[in-house]
Amino acid sequence: GQNIDQPTEMTATEGAIVQINCTYQTSGFNGLFWYQQHAGEAPTFLSYNVLDGLEEKGRFSSFLSRSKGYSYLLLKELQMKDSASYLCAVMDSNYQLIWGAGTKLIIKP
Amino acid sequence: NAGVTQTPKFRVLKTGQSMTLLCAQDMNHEYMYWYRQDPGMGLRLIHYSVGEGTTAKGEVPDGYNVSRLKKQNFLLGLESAAPSQTSVYFCASSYQADSNQPQHFGDGTRLSIL
């Protein structure tokens, strides 16, 4: 079967750095997406990786290792507004997204 | 810039009632999707469409029907609502289904079945 694993919840301090991990087992791989979802709102696109390595976008970076079935989202200089759920999703061989349950990130002052 | 608009935002139904959820997008996207989101689970695909007049089943299609009569609209129907269908429903759209085209989501419909 297809499976995406992420930690359920993480806590970090304002101004610090946090790394959210995602491991996956899917039938085929056509890229990995990270989305941010604030409580009661829609998921919004953060990043996309299809090749191994690090993609940097401002305070957010995403890393992929296809051989290990592993990705992480790195958030730097954490702000209170970063409190949200972070969803990892893999595009499988049928170009459908398989979603993880999400990681709820709590930022403390 | 509206993006993806879902109506209604909230609805309470009784078991056995029917209803239709409407999704509209103004980005000229070919692909549209209906997901449900339940606590502790990832988004699950109900049905999707790769273009006007076409629909296909996703991971959890039972109890739902869809139609895509116009490119910009994607309707999700519940013919006979059941308490197990209590969920938050999200519509999404994308230009293409492949590789780096992200899906854009509506704000969701919170549906409770009593």
Side-chain angles (χ1 to χ4, degrees), chain B residues 86-99:
Chain B
T86 293
S87 188
V88 180
Y89 291 86
F90 284 101
C91 175
S93 70
S94 65
Y95 181 63
Q96 294 175 335
D98 60 337
S99 56

Side-chain angles (χ1 to χ4, degrees), chain B residues 9 12 19 22 24 51 77 100 103:
Chain B
K9 295 190 185 307
V12 178
M19 79 162 296
L22 174 64
N100 66 341
Q103 295 181 12

Side-chain angles (χ1 to χ4, degrees), chain B residues 29-40:
Chain B
H29 284 168
E30 289 292 335
Y31 290 76
M32 297 188 74
Y33 313 84
W34 275 107
Y35 292 95
R36 59 179 290 172
Q37 187 174 41
D38 300 295

Side-chain angles (χ1 to χ4, degrees), chain B residues 3-91:
Chain B
V4 180
T5 303
Q6 291 183 233
T7 54
K9 295 190 185 307
F10 304 93
R11 186 72 183 268
V12 178
L13 290 178
K14 294 181 179 179
T15 297
Q17 287 185 318
S18 63
M19 79 162 296
T20 300
L21 281 65
L22 174 64
C23 176
Q25 54 93 5
D26 61 2
M27 297 174 282
N28 201 34
H29 284 168
E30 289 292 335
Y31 290 76
M32 297 188 74
Y33 313 84
W34 275 107
Y35 292 95
R36 59 179 290 172
Q37 187 174 41
D38 300 295
M41 302 181 72
L43 289 160
R44 291 184 292 169
L45 184 64
I46 303 170
H47 286 279
Y48 64 100
S49 169
V50 302
E52 181 179 320
T54 72
T55 63
K57 293 180 180 180
E59 178 187 357
V60 288
D62 294 343
Y64 306 95
N65 56 75
V66 288
S67 64
R68 183 114 181 257
L69 299 179
K70 293 183 179 180
K71 184 177 183 178
Q72 63 268 34
N73 295 338
F74 195 29
L75 280 64
L76 178 71
L78 287 73
E79 290 186 345
S80 179
S84 61
Q85 294 177 305
T86 293
S87 188
V88 180
Y89 291 86
F90 284 101
C91 175

Side-chain angles (χ1 to χ4, degrees), chain A residues 7-83:
Chain A
T8 302
E9 186 175 296
M10 299 181 71
T11 302
T13 304
E14 189 177 16
I17 300 172
V18 70
Q19 177 176 312
I20 301 174
N21 295 327
C22 171
T23 58
Y24 63 88
Q25 289 180 305
T26 56
S27 56
F29 179 84
N30 282 300
L32 185 144
F33 294 79
W34 284 97
Y35 280 76
Q36 181 190 61
Q37 185 178 25
H38 286 100
E41 297 184 7
T44 55
F45 170 71
L46 285 178
S47 68
Y48 169 79
N49 295 71
V50 66
L51 300 176
D52 289 353
L54 189 68
E55 294 281 342
E56 297 187 81
K57 194 183 291 186
R59 293 189 300 114
F60 292 7
S61 302
S62 56
F63 171 84
L64 174 67
S65 169
R66 288 173 297 171
S67 63
K68 295 182 179 179
Y70 167 70
S71 173
Y72 67 73
L73 181 68
L74 192 71
L75 290 75
K76 303 176 184 177
E77 301 170 13
L78 285 170
Q79 303 175 8
M80 297 304 293
K81 67 178 182 179
D82 297 330
S83 292

